[in-house]
Amino acid sequence: MNTPDLSPVSFRANVRKLPARGMVLKLAADDAQCLALAKAHGLLSVENWQAELLVKTWKRDGISVTGRVKAEVTAACVVTLEPGSQHIDEA
């Protein structure tokens, strides 16, 4: 069985053992994970990455993940290549 590439920030959960109301996950990337995230996404740097997620069962063997991801990243401008900081806050 092939295992897909995992994100630098990942979590494994047994779907059959999730609580009925779901499981809240609060994740924060450490320095090594921020570096790996930047490399994986073609960014100059990731200064901060946090997520608060709710993982719930979905149908028989699936999961539903909802929540919010916040990050501070620096990317190169595609025109000038100057570094530009971005604040990410997605729900």
Side-chain angles (χ1 to χ4, degrees):
M1 174 184 221
N2 289 342
T3 302
D5 291 336
L6 296 177
S7 167
V9 182
S10 63
F11 180 85
R12 290 181 186 248
N14 185 335
V15 175
R16 293 193 172 113
K17 292 187 178 183
L18 285 174
R21 292 187 177 177
M23 175 174 48
V24 174
L25 295 175
K26 293 182 181 181
L27 306 171
D30 62 24
D31 291 342
Q33 290 168 321
C34 284
L35 186 62
L37 283 167
K39 183 177 179 182
H41 297 285
L43 301 167
L44 296 176
S45 64
V46 173
E47 291 78 28
N48 184 11
W49 184 95
Q50 301 173 35
E52 186 167 336
L53 308 171
L54 176 62
V55 181
K56 297 171 70 174
T57 57
W58 180 72
K59 296 192 177 184
R60 184 175 178 186
D61 291 322
I63 61 169
S64 166
V65 180
T66 57
R68 181 179 222 154
V69 176
K70 295 181 181 182
E72 298 291 333
V73 303
T74 301
C77 174
V78 295
V79 176
T80 66
L81 299 180
E82 292 290 322
S85 296
Q86 295 288 321
H87 173 75
I88 299 167
D89 189 347
E90 295 290 330

